[in-house]
Amino acid sequence: MTTMPHILVVDDHRQIRVSVTRFLERSGMRATAAKDAQEMDAKLANGQYDLMVLDVMMPGEDGLSVCRRISAEKRLPIIMLTALGQETDRIVGLEIGADDYLPKPFNPRELLARIKAVLRRTSSEQSEAGELSGRNLRFAGLTLDTDTHVVSDADGNRVQLTSADFRLLTVMLARPRTVLSREQLLDLTAGRSAGPLDRTIDNQISRLRRKIEADPLRPSLISTVRNRGYSLNADVEVIA
């Protein structure tokens, strides 16, 4: 990440694009705007970005579709902007790879705080991968490449993790056979507290299980500990 993070703001509302980009620039960041997915693709093809602020409701390809596609193609942190009260959009966005969400209308200073928090986490992930360059983490017959965020099995099958998947898995790999509460996991992966009805971690656990469990409906690697949280049932080895 450069000393001036470059943020791509994707929103079909011109006033939001202009006000957000100006605010970010006044706050010491570079900011580029796009009005839809087509323009976003052109910007991504011709520039380097550290994070994307992405609106859910857009004409043409909507934000959820864009988030799913970008999360599968590249490790670019995404903060989604959702209409106030659209809880389903927020949950789905987190499930498919968004790093955070913010309901509209929002305070630009809160958006800035969330951007900085996501960039700090991303920088931490990159630093960890750098320290483990050329090394992998082996657990339960699987291998995680911390540089590429790819999990592979003994047969050579490979799964690309989103940045949110990677954070959750590495947090659990660092604490194997330890029960971690939902509150602990949310704090360690997102740096925020859980609300009384917050299902973010449960949804992320479900998504991660679909990627690394032999049978996601009968999970054995990541177990649910009733009334306590989740635990990774494997020993972890750092290999060259």
Side-chain angles (χ1 to χ4, degrees):
M1 190 174 68
T2 65
T3 55
M4 291 182 62
H6 195 177
I7 312 301
L8 180 59
V9 179
V10 185
D11 197 302
D12 66 310
H13 197 292
R14 182 179 181 278
Q15 184 176 349
I16 291 177
R17 293 198 308 273
V18 171
S19 61
V20 169
T21 54
R22 287 178 177 173
F23 180 81
L24 294 177
E25 288 170 348
R26 290 198 303 269
S27 301
M29 297 184 177
R30 298 170 60 203
T32 299
K35 66 179 184 297
D36 55 24
Q38 183 176 358
E39 188 171 349
M40 174 204 73
D41 285 333
K43 302 288 186 182
L44 289 174
N46 294 290
Q48 294 292 325
Y49 299 92
D50 299 292
L51 182 144
M52 181 189 299
V53 176
L54 177 64
D55 185 30
V56 170
M57 298 299 294
M58 297 190 299
E61 185 180 10
D62 65 31
L64 293 177
S65 174
V66 168
C67 181
R68 183 181 293 105
R69 175 162 62 84
I70 295 300
S71 296
E73 291 175 355
K74 62 195 321 182
R75 297 197 307 273
L76 180 65
I78 296 174
I79 295 178
M80 301 206 73
L81 303 178
T82 65
L84 185 63
Q86 295 299 311
E87 182 178 4
T88 300
D89 287 344
R90 296 197 291 272
I91 292 173
V92 172
L94 292 169
E95 286 181 340
I96 62 180
D99 294 84
D100 203 350
Y101 64 84
L102 190 61
K104 291 182 176 180
F106 57 88
N107 187 318
R109 286 182 292 181
E110 181 176 1
L111 174 61
L112 178 63
R114 289 175 182 260
I115 288 173
K116 289 181 177 179
V118 171
L119 290 176
R120 282 195 299 269
R121 295 198 301 267
T122 304
S123 178
S124 176
E125 291 169 13
Q126 292 172 343
S127 297
E128 180 180 3
E131 293 170 4
L132 296 173
S133 178
R135 307 171 72 186
N136 302 316
L137 302 178
R138 180 180 293 161
F139 60 102
L142 302 172
T143 301
L144 170 65
D145 185 325
T146 58
D147 290 337
T148 63
H149 297 194
V150 169
V151 173
S152 56
D153 63 18
D155 296 325
N157 299 309
R158 294 161 56 87
V159 175
Q160 177 72 57
L161 301 180
T162 66
S163 57
D165 295 332
F166 178 76
R167 280 199 305 276
L168 179 58
L169 180 56
T170 52
V171 162
M172 302 192 80
L173 289 173
R175 302 162 180 81
R177 304 190 185 280
T178 301
V179 179
L180 298 169
S181 69
R182 291 170 177 81
E183 291 74 17
Q184 286 176 300
L185 288 170
L186 191 59
D187 179 57
L188 290 166
T189 59
R192 63 183 178 88
S193 301
L197 301 177
D198 197 322
R199 305 294 293 177
T200 299
I201 290 300
D202 302 292
N203 293 324
Q204 290 182 346
I205 288 285
S206 295
R207 185 181 67 231
L208 185 58
R209 279 171 169 165
R210 291 196 293 269
K211 293 186 176 182
I212 67 173
E213 293 275 7
D215 184 355
L217 297 179
R218 297 177 178 81
S220 59
L221 180 53
I222 300 178
S223 63
T224 302
V225 182
R226 186 177 178 84
N227 296 325
R228 294 181 63 194
Y230 297 99
S231 176
L232 179 79
N233 301 315
D235 295 319
V236 181
E237 177 187 6
V238 179
I239 59 177

